[in-house]
Amino acid sequence: MPRTARTPRRTAVAALLAVAASTAGVVALNSAANAAPAPAPVTAAAEPVAGPADNPDYGSTGQGAEAPVAEEMRGFAYSAATSKISRSTVIERARSWVGIGLDYDWGGRHGGYRTDCSGYVSMAWDLDSSLTTDTFEPRGVVYSISKSDLKAGDALLDNDGGSGGHVVLFEKWANSDHSKYWGFDFTPSGVHHRIYDYPYYPGYGPYAPVRYKNIVDDADTTPPTKPSAGMTDLVAANINGDSVDDVVGVEASTGKLWLYKGNTNGTISSGSARVEIGSGGWNGMSNLAAADYNGDGKDDIVATQESTGKLYLYPGTGSGLGARKEIGSGGWNGMHDLIGGDFNGDGKNDVVGVERSTGKLWLYKGNGAGAISGGSARVLIGSGGWNGMHDLVGMDVNNDGRTDVVGAESASGKLFFYKSNGSGLDARKEIGSGGWNGMNDLIGGDFTSNAYDDLVGVEKSTGKLYLYPGTGSGLGDRKEIGSGGW
């Protein structure tokens, strides 16, 4: 919460609470849990505290009461289960709430857990109960660590209660001096996976690094190749009009947009040969989608401005991008996984995206002159369940002139192909049997100049970039085209 509206950290009080919790407090807690299996009402202590930094993108407006996930607690829930959980599992669980349209509601539940900041982290750690920011420590669930000890699945905790507390799940460092990091938190504007200032945004806190007592390192302890900066929001785009797709991406630490030129043999230019095509501010944009929207033979990029929800078109110039043009007046931050292509086969490139609040897949038809249809004219091509997919890709898998949809299913890790039929999508076909939850930033394009679109993606555990060549009906064996840092 804002420093101007918070109370000091109460370490001594926390210690007394810990003693109480180990004695008579146990009976009281268990009694309350058995008496109130339904979502707990909001208490006076959970009311939001007004302050100058009130912003739905940051911090908390309140938290619900402690509550078990199931109707009956498994043993002493607040000490957490005795089973261990790996760091990668924690991150995957955290990622499962991103982009599915959850509202911040301390009286609400999703999958049994409270839909607020501490309920979210309780879910990621697979606790038996939804704890609160001021009870993680007293219940013995976490212990303090140093900044240098932080690893994936640890947390940054402001241990006040109610609207005074907040917690962020740590994923990885975003720059070499460890002043910024990738993480997850649940705020009044939704569940975020983004880059944070360490330990949190100015005006909030104090925050301290903590570790869940049952988290363990993954079995493979081989140090991954460390990204020098880290790239995000990758997109395949033929920026220079040479008929070979290039890789474009945002450098997380600088907000710059870089182009890695594609070669006809399925490789891309090295980092030293990359070309800067956006000087900064691109980490304020999201959902990059590329296609030739204005019909000049060079791919353009559309992107959502997160702060306003507006959709912008950046026209390709042959060597970079021209001045942007607003093509969507607002609400586009309510969509995710935007992809570009000619989905209906009319020769004009469209935009397709998932609506967070409903999980529906919508087609916004392009007019061939750099604009797309408005919301009232959009076409439903997926009736629901698309929030359960991640890293959607627009690519012409079978070379029939229509862009198809490819995406990974979060629940199974499988990769599916949805063939475009001109008016919608056919029944899906499995083209990847598993393990695709270990990949992200999937993009599709013709990187090998063989008439079939290929798939490119980042392996999370190593930061390596791989190309999966298109075969006309699926994908061939992958090939490493980026050695690390992606």
Side-chain angles (χ1 to χ4, degrees), residues 368-429:
I372 58 174
S373 59
S376 61
R378 66 184 183 175
V379 179
L380 181 66
I381 60 172
S383 59
W386 287 87
N387 282 332
M389 306 294 292
H390 67 85
D391 288 286
L392 297 190
V393 180
M395 55 189 290
D396 187 358
V397 175
N398 56 358
N399 196 30
D400 65 354
R402 292 188 294 266
T403 304
D404 310 304
V405 177
V406 171
E409 187 177 53
S410 299
S412 66
K414 294 180 177 181
L415 191 71
F416 289 97
F417 158 46
Y418 300 78
K419 181 181 179 295
S420 289
N421 57 32
S423 59
L425 302 174
D426 288 344
R428 69 184 188 177
K429 172 187 174 184

Side-chain angles (χ1 to χ4, degrees), residues 187-279:
T187 77
S189 63
V191 181
H192 302 283
H193 178 218
R194 55 185 173 179
I195 292 176
Y196 302 81
D197 294 332
Y198 182 86
Y200 198 62
Y201 297 102
Y204 293 81
Y207 285 79
V210 296
R211 177 166 294 164
Y212 171 41
K213 71 174 188 176
N214 284 335
I215 198 168
V216 294
D217 292 341
D218 289 274
D220 181 8
T221 58
T222 304
T225 304
K226 271 195 172 182
S228 57
M231 305 298 293
T232 185
D233 274 311
L234 300 189
V235 64
N238 180 19
I239 294 292
N240 56 8
D242 66 355
S243 300
V244 180
D245 281 325
D246 313 303
V247 175
V248 174
V250 179
E251 189 173 45
S253 62
T254 65
K256 293 181 177 181
L257 190 69
W258 293 94
L259 179 144
Y260 298 78
K261 187 179 181 301
N263 305 310
T264 56
N265 62 356
T267 63
I268 58 173
S269 57
S270 64
S272 60
R274 67 183 183 173
V275 178
E276 181 183 319
I277 60 172
S279 59

Side-chain angles (χ1 to χ4, degrees), residues 311-377:
L311 190 69
Y312 286 96
L313 169 75
Y314 297 78
T317 64
S319 58
L321 299 174
R324 72 183 187 180
K325 168 189 174 184
E326 181 183 317
I327 61 170
S329 59
W332 285 87
N333 47 8
M335 307 292 292
H336 67 88
D337 278 287
L338 297 189
I339 52 179
D342 182 7
F343 295 91
N344 55 7
D346 66 355
K348 301 168 186 177
N349 284 304
D350 319 301
V351 172
V352 164
V354 181
E355 189 173 45
R356 294 182 191 276
S357 60
T358 63
K360 294 179 178 180
L361 191 68
W362 293 95
L363 167 72
Y364 299 79
K365 292 182 180 180
N367 68 357
I372 58 174
S373 59
S376 61

